[in-house]
Amino acid sequence: MRTAVVVGAGIGGLAAAGALARSGWQVTLLERADRVRPGRTALVLWPNGIRALRALGLGDGLDAIGTPLAETGVRRPDGHWLVQPRPVAPHRAPVVVHREDLHDALIAGLGDRLDIRTGVQVDDVRTGETERPAVTAGRQVFPADLVIAADGTDSAVRARLAPESAVVSSGCTAWRAVIPWFRAPKSMAGRVGGETLGAGYRFVAASLGERGSSGASSRGGVYWVATAAGAPRPEPPATQLALLRRWYAGWPEPISDLLAATEPDDLVQQEVRELRPLPRSYAFAAGPGGVVLLGDAAHAMPHHLGQGACLAFEDAATLAAAVRDAAPGLALRRAIEGYDRERRPRAATMVRQTRRMSAVLQTRGRLALRARDAALGQITPRLLGNAASTAAQWRPPA
């Protein structure tokens, strides 16, 4: 029987582990935490991410937990429209999902041929030519035909195999929260959404379901993300929330109402980081198979285009297709080489577009802001349009 070890039980690791287990692999899933936990906020799935989930056999029920993103434009903090709202073609419309709902769907799709081990901190990887690849955790050794490193931005496996790729700050910090409908402002009766862009500050909001709806998820509300230039704040959540309310004071509605409805325990702060440069390879042959990098372990990037989770699902779908019929040995080694050829150019393209957007978002200084705002009506639709087109063009491997 073919065996695989997946390091990391985030959404990418869960998707890859489930796909392999359902196709006949015996999978061991290693998680450093004491249990497999979902995130507390939400995320946006663009058409490529949705397509990848369907290719993985996880599309059933997505309509019940996903909320199509409302038509949005881009405003300045004074409320002036930089980019007028415009309709989105149905095949390009993203959806917003609560991470707990998505986590439940991924857990339900794991299958029976899977062993989950928590509290395992992987610290090294073995990739000899004549022995099976393996990861180690202290004195524990986990060998397999295939090792999948899905252990996130701070991947211990990538650090050993691709030391040229360093984790660096993107120069900003993000705060996320989901405000349940019972605390959301009463004026938000339907779906809300939109983006507001200031000098080093950005605020995005989107609905999860509709107030009073009887959908499958009980986790509805309003999801918001605030991004600010600078390092993470060391203060307690209550102080961070007070800072956010001050920074975004006077910005157009519903921003102030959302922050007023937010409680300190809702906040999730995260430093925005990325890999520079990207690893030279996402596949490392060893013995009868090898090691592959997946998700943020392969291509961590800023969240500005919302492609992190989507690319992780693309990775999982591409890998599952590549190794579906590959027996350990030459066939499996060639399969993971094919995965590398497919994924590296794709990831590099999305990272390049994300960095362009990052430069636009972090513009500061009066003259630079005036130039940006004057050009944003042309720059942002083109940049977002190119990114959306690139994302929408992806199709699962046959």
Side-chain angles (χ1 to χ4, degrees):
M1 178 179 293
R2 298 177 295 175
T3 60
V5 167
V6 179
V7 184
I11 56 176
L14 289 173
L20 293 185
R22 293 192 304 274
S23 61
W25 290 70
Q26 181 63 48
V27 180
T28 301
L29 178 61
L30 307 178
E31 168 57 34
R32 68 170 69 106
D34 59 353
R35 62 188 178 92
V36 178
R37 293 183 177 90
R40 294 196 291 117
T41 59
L43 55 81
V44 177
L45 290 176
W46 292 81
N48 54 315
I50 296 169
R51 206 172 289 126
L53 283 175
R54 297 194 188 283
L56 290 164
L58 299 171
D60 292 346
L62 189 59
D63 292 340
I65 64 174
T67 304
L69 197 61
E71 295 181 4
T72 61
V74 181
R75 293 182 294 179
R76 290 193 317 216
D78 62 5
H80 175 78
W81 287 104
L82 294 169
V83 180
Q84 290 287 340
R86 60 190 67 193
V88 181
H91 68 284
R92 290 189 176 184
V95 299
V96 188
V97 296
H98 200 289
R99 284 182 176 269
E100 291 185 20
D101 289 328
L102 183 59
H103 178 267
D104 290 347
L106 293 171
I107 291 292
L110 287 178
D112 299 326
R113 297 176 180 264
L114 191 139
D115 177 26
I116 301 178
R117 303 192 187 188
T118 57
V120 178
Q121 178 68 56
V122 168
D123 53 30
D124 206 352
V125 60
R126 185 177 70 198
T127 55
E129 276 296 318
T130 60
E131 57 186 358
R132 300 169 80 202
V135 292
T136 63
R139 295 184 178 179
Q140 292 180 291
V141 180
F142 300 92
D145 300 315
L146 175 65
V147 173
I148 302 170
D151 48 343
T153 303
D154 295 309
S155 170
V157 178
R158 186 200 62 245
R160 301 297 190 276
L161 298 178
E164 75 281 357
S165 189
V167 180
V168 300
S169 173
S170 299
C172 56
T173 302
W175 287 264
R176 293 177 171 85
V178 172
I179 311 305
W181 281 123
F182 73 86
R183 274 200 276 120
K186 297 299 183 183
S187 59
M188 299 178 185
R191 295 179 181 175
V192 299
E195 174 178 345
T196 308
L197 186 60
Y201 295 89
R202 181 192 191 197
F203 196 97
V204 178
S207 293
L208 280 165
E210 296 184 12
R211 188 191 298 273
S213 66
S214 57
S217 173
S218 61
R219 304 178 179 111
V222 180
Y223 168 54
W224 62 257
V225 184
T227 306
R233 304 295 303 199
E235 298 91 348
T239 305
Q240 294 177 31
L241 183 56
L243 286 171
L244 290 170
R245 289 170 176 165
R246 187 177 74 195
W247 291 343
Y248 292 96
W251 284 44
E253 296 302 337
I255 295 173
S256 60
D257 286 344
L258 285 174
L259 290 174
T262 302
E263 297 180 354
D265 287 345
D266 298 326
L267 282 186
V268 176
Q269 179 187 217
Q270 182 182 28
E271 181 182 14
V272 181
R273 299 181 298 158
E274 59 190 283
L275 293 180
R276 285 182 181 261
L278 293 179
R280 289 193 294 265
S281 179
Y282 289 165
F284 305 85
V291 182
V292 299
L293 305 180
L294 184 147
D296 284 346
H299 41 66
M301 67 186 76
H303 61 284
H304 305 314
L305 295 179
Q307 282 295 316
C310 296
L311 288 185
F313 292 141
E314 285 186 24
D315 290 346
T318 302
L319 181 64
V323 304
R324 182 177 296 122
D325 301 317
L330 182 60
L332 182 54
R333 289 168 68 107
R334 286 179 174 173
I336 67 172
E337 289 171 0
Y339 166 80
D340 175 62
R341 288 193 301 270
E342 287 284 331
R343 296 310 300 160
R344 273 194 303 118
R346 169 70 174 168
T349 297
M350 294 310 302
V351 167
R352 188 162 54 247
Q353 292 183 341
T354 299
R355 288 174 181 168
R356 289 172 183 164
M357 179 56 72
S358 183
V360 171
L361 296 176
Q362 295 188 47
T363 301
R364 305 188 78 172
R366 182 178 300 177
L367 293 178
L369 279 170
R370 285 180 179 176
R372 184 203 66 182
D373 290 353
L376 198 59
Q378 290 75 42
I379 294 174
T380 299
R382 184 171 68 250
L383 183 55
L384 291 175
N386 289 341
S389 295
T390 301
Q393 288 168 1
W394 183 84
R395 294 292 186 276

